[in-house]
Amino acid sequence: MQNTETTLQLRLWTVEDYHRMAEAGIFGAEERVELLEGKIIWMVAKGTAHRSAVGRTDYLIKNKLGERAWVSIQDQIQLNNQSEPEPDIAVVKIDPLDYAGHHPTPSEVYLIIEVADSSLKLDCEIKAKAYSQAGISDYWVLDVVSRQLYVFREPSPEGYQSKSILAEDEAIAPSHFPDVEILVLEMLPPVISNL
């Protein structure tokens, strides 16, 4: 009897392959992609609420942390040999060369924040698993639609063991900076009434 199931053999890309493709011009200048678990993922178009939340969060965290950490916006971090995502916000250790020679790696990451306007499922499932497997100890997803914050902690190979959802009127501190309190509302874009 013939087997009717089809098993596809996928060729997963490495970070080195991904960089060579970019250098060769395979990705157009307008194409927004990232490498996640060996797969090249099209990044979701970002709306104005997303842009506003990223800007507000960047400003807020930089002001609260001062010179205690480096905060980058939508820059690569290298999780392993097959994942180099571009999180919306990465709070990382200060590097004497400002990461001129490499992208931050998990041991250099304090906190990752993704802002979700249309990417909540991707951010809370696929990216959460990749970040957990890489050992990122503190991962947040700011949902600008429902105006809440998903907090993932206690990474394991199977995924985060701790997940909580905070309302916009609640506060949180990054696990590496317990003295820094952040109100979820401060990261969210203001509500614009149509009066």
Side-chain angles (χ1 to χ4, degrees):
M1 181 169 187
Q2 186 176 8
N3 184 354
T4 58
E5 291 185 30
T6 302
T7 303
L8 298 176
Q9 294 288 334
L10 298 177
R11 190 224 194 263
L12 300 178
W13 303 104
T14 66
V15 169
E16 185 179 331
D17 295 333
Y18 181 64
H19 287 191
R20 282 198 313 261
M21 286 187 277
E23 290 166 7
I26 290 174
F27 310 121
E30 71 289 343
E31 289 183 291
R32 297 210 38 178
V33 295
E34 63 185 343
L35 182 67
L36 195 60
E37 298 179 337
K39 301 171 193 122
I40 298 170
I41 309 290
W42 290 95
M43 293 170 67
V44 180
K46 297 167 178 26
T48 55
H50 182 282
R51 182 197 45 75
S52 175
V54 169
R56 291 171 63 88
T57 304
D58 173 53
Y59 182 80
L60 176 69
I61 292 176
K62 283 179 178 171
N63 281 330
K64 293 212 178 238
L65 291 179
E67 299 296 320
R68 296 167 66 187
W70 179 276
V71 181
S72 65
I73 300 177
Q74 299 167 347
D75 290 328
Q76 295 98 334
I77 60 168
Q78 185 172 346
L79 298 180
N80 54 42
N81 193 39
Q82 292 190 311
S83 291
E84 193 176 78
E86 297 179 22
D88 290 316
I89 305 275
V91 181
V92 299
K93 291 180 179 177
I94 294 173
D95 181 78
L97 301 176
D98 297 330
Y99 294 99
H102 73 286
H103 297 306
T105 59
S107 65
E108 297 167 307
V109 173
Y110 294 126
L111 169 65
I112 296 292
I113 303 172
E114 294 284 6
V115 175
D117 54 359
S118 61
S119 61
L120 188 63
K121 186 174 175 71
L122 170 70
D123 294 334
C124 288
E125 293 177 11
I126 296 169
K127 285 191 175 183
K129 186 173 182 184
Y131 289 140
S132 180
Q133 289 175 338
I136 302 299
S137 61
D138 207 3
Y139 172 51
W140 302 355
V141 177
L142 183 63
D143 179 355
V144 298
V145 176
S146 297
R147 299 185 66 79
Q148 55 193 11
L149 181 70
Y150 291 75
V151 178
F152 298 88
R153 291 182 170 156
E154 300 175 28
S156 78
E158 294 78 39
Y160 285 99
Q161 301 304 299
S162 171
K163 175 185 162 188
S164 57
I165 302 173
L166 304 179
E168 66 182 346
D169 62 348
E170 294 184 83
I172 187 167
S175 58
H176 288 279
F177 304 99
D179 60 314
V180 176
E181 186 173 276
I182 298 171
L183 187 63
V184 174
L185 185 62
E186 293 177 296
M187 296 187 285
L188 289 165
V191 176
I192 302 170
S193 62
N194 295 326
L195 296 179

